[in-house]
Amino acid sequence: MNRQIVSLAALAVALAVQPALAQQAAPAATRAAPTAAQADAFVAAAEKELAGTSVELAQISWVNATYITDDTDALAAKAGGRFTERQVQLATEAAKYRNVRGLSADTARKLYIMAGGVTLPAPNRPGAAEELSTLNTRMSSSYGKGRGTLDGKPINGSDIEAAMGDSRDPEKLKEMWVSWHDNVGAPMRQDYAAMTKLANEGATGLGFKDTGALWRSGYDMGPDQFAALTDKLWNEVEPLYKSLHTYVRWKLNEKYGDAVQPKTGPIRADLLGNMWAQEWGNIYDVVAPAGAGDLGYDIGDLLKAKQYDPVKMVKTGEGFYSSLGFAPLPETFWQRSQIVKPQDREVICHASAWNVDNVDDLRIKMCTKVNSDDFVTIHHELGHNYYQRAYNQQPLLYRSGANDGFHEAIGDFVALSITPDYLVKINLLDPAKVPSADKDIGLLLRQAMDKVAFLPFGLLVDKWRWQVFSGEIPEGQMQAGWDKLRLQYQGIVPPVARDETKFDPGAKYHVPAAVPYTRYFLARLLQFQFYEAACRQVGWKGPLHRCSFYGNKEVGAKLDAMLKMGQSKPWPDALQAFTGTREMSGKSMVAYFAPLKKWLDQQNKGKPSGW
């Protein structure tokens, strides 16, 4: 369940539609030796201007995402082009001040954020920014309007995702997988290659090796250091993933037979209950162990039995944050959010959280269905909104997460508290139906099918993009490069052979939308660090996965203190404020799933591991 966050401070790090700042800053750019005072003035002018110009872009982006037409596409492309052009100008200007002697720590940090804050940098020449924005908008909208087929009939994105989770017919699963990837991904291959070239030209103009190096520079360390950190983190959790992969492959073979899923080698991607094989929880019924696997409840069934509708689901999510001491969401949230899919128009259903005015115009955009996945998604998206509001008193350039992984981790860490105990407290689950300790393996396996299964996908999406940006994967091998990484990290293969007329990465929202993805990998690990810390704070003594901090105001106060920091300090400072450590690590996740790992290894005895 990977989602986009739209924090307009992050979007507007360098948006300006008026030329005022350029005129003010131009003389500084021509002087031989700019001063610390001029750097201070540049940053102050930038923040003042940005505070006044981000709302228009936000409103246009919102309308385009919730009302896709040729006209809103054109408006979004134009606004995005102006944004990118200005962003590159300011990033270039900021880079000139970064080595000035005597900079205050505050100005130095803001210049660092501005210089590296461009996701898709356009070349600094006339028309390039609008060309890049048009490509990006066209691909995003094409994704939003995308259709696959089921039984030969067209089916939209949110419906095909649900059907992939429900169907157990290998032929139908193959039809949906192939049609979605062929119809949505393949047509944007040329646009993506063109976008890559333009963005790389822009990135080198800003002093980076390529766009991937620019993306990796946003973590308070060098790009190569950051790549090494992601590899270290993966090495900590890879044994857990391999144990899960071995077990799931065996269960799929048991269900479908050798002809569909062999006992050895990789897993067929479309059998895992998800269009991208990124989370496997939808096929829990296929892998659940006898006895322990029957948890006695399904959250989706509980919601339906209590006659929940999508709005009530969101109100329940709000209630969790209120229980920690956070103020209720503003009334405008309920008036302006898209909680259900409109019947009369095309929209981007991919769930996202917005702060349109950088203060308290908080919104979510979802096409909510009454099911377990969307109940968890709501807790996740609201985590973005509460984070956005917590740091809204920071200077504009600090109104973002400590790093982008933090922003994704907050809601997921809260969602880890959707335990049976929590469900009882909110009157969804009958206390008599709380699973006993002998169901713990089932509870952990159900969690691991989403949390652990996701890890290699969370890593490889950007590994693929980094290699495309650097030229390690050439334009003529983009599909082969994707398939190679999917096999290497996930141990999966497509249900049919793919060739270079295809472009399967484009069938994943974040690729055409140019949303960096490593944040989700980091978030999967950070959420367990946050969760373990919160459980220590409440004095929890039982199994870690049974801990819920629902209703604990002390955890809420400590969490709020970290959230309020925004991006004002390097992320290790924020991590230390809540967890007591400055190191990102996979060890909390490994500790959470330790009983499951032991059980999986017993089940896997005598079966080959790996692929």
Side-chain angles (χ1 to χ4, degrees), residues 323 417 419-431 434 540 548-552:
S323 84
S417 250
T419 60
D421 178 55
Y422 166 60
L423 298 174
V424 168
K425 283 179 178 165
I426 61 171
N427 199 30
L428 257 183
L429 180 64
D430 181 338
V434 171
W540 180 258
S548 176
F549 49 86
Y550 175 74
N552 191 290

Side-chain angles (χ1 to χ4, degrees), residues 31 64 67 115 121 144 147 172 202 214 237 246 257 271 295 330 337 423 459 471 517 550:
R31 292 192 192 105
N64 182 228
Y67 205 109
R147 298 284 186 276
K172 290 185 178 183
L214 184 153
V237 293
T246 303
L271 303 179
L295 306 183
S337 287
L423 298 174
L459 189 61
Y517 209 75
Y550 175 74

Side-chain angles (χ1 to χ4, degrees), residues 557-609:
K558 202 160 182 183
L559 176 62
D560 189 47
M562 178 178 75
L563 301 185
K564 279 187 162 80
M565 292 168 72
Q567 202 176 2
S568 64
K569 304 284 183 198
W571 64 259
D573 292 4
L575 184 64
Q576 187 172 28
F578 189 69
T579 68
T581 179
R582 299 177 64 79
E583 298 285 324
M584 251 194 285
S585 167
K587 289 173 185 169
S588 294
M589 176 188 253
V590 170
Y592 183 97
F593 287 110
L596 176 67
K597 174 75 163 67
K598 185 178 174 186
W599 181 85
L600 285 171
D601 290 346
Q602 288 168 348
Q603 308 306 305
N604 293 338
K605 263 185 190 160
K607 299 182 178 74
S609 179

Side-chain angles (χ1 to χ4, degrees), residues 200-264:
N200 269 347
E201 189 185 337
T204 54
L206 291 174
F208 295 93
K209 276 200 282 192
D210 55 59
T211 308
L214 184 153
W215 287 10
R216 295 192 301 278
S217 73
Y219 294 92
D220 298 302
M221 60 178 68
D224 293 343
Q225 267 182 296
F226 179 68
L229 173 62
T230 62
D231 288 338
K232 178 184 93 69
L233 294 169
W234 170 242
N235 288 335
E236 289 176 353
V237 293
E238 185 184 19
L240 178 58
Y241 176 76
K242 281 199 165 169
S243 293
L244 181 68
H245 181 282
T246 303
Y247 175 78
V248 169
R249 178 179 58 199
W250 164 55
K251 298 300 278 187
L252 287 169
N253 171 263
E254 213 174 54
K255 178 171 179 63
Y256 292 116
D258 293 347
V260 173
Q261 176 56 58
K263 291 185 179 72
T264 60

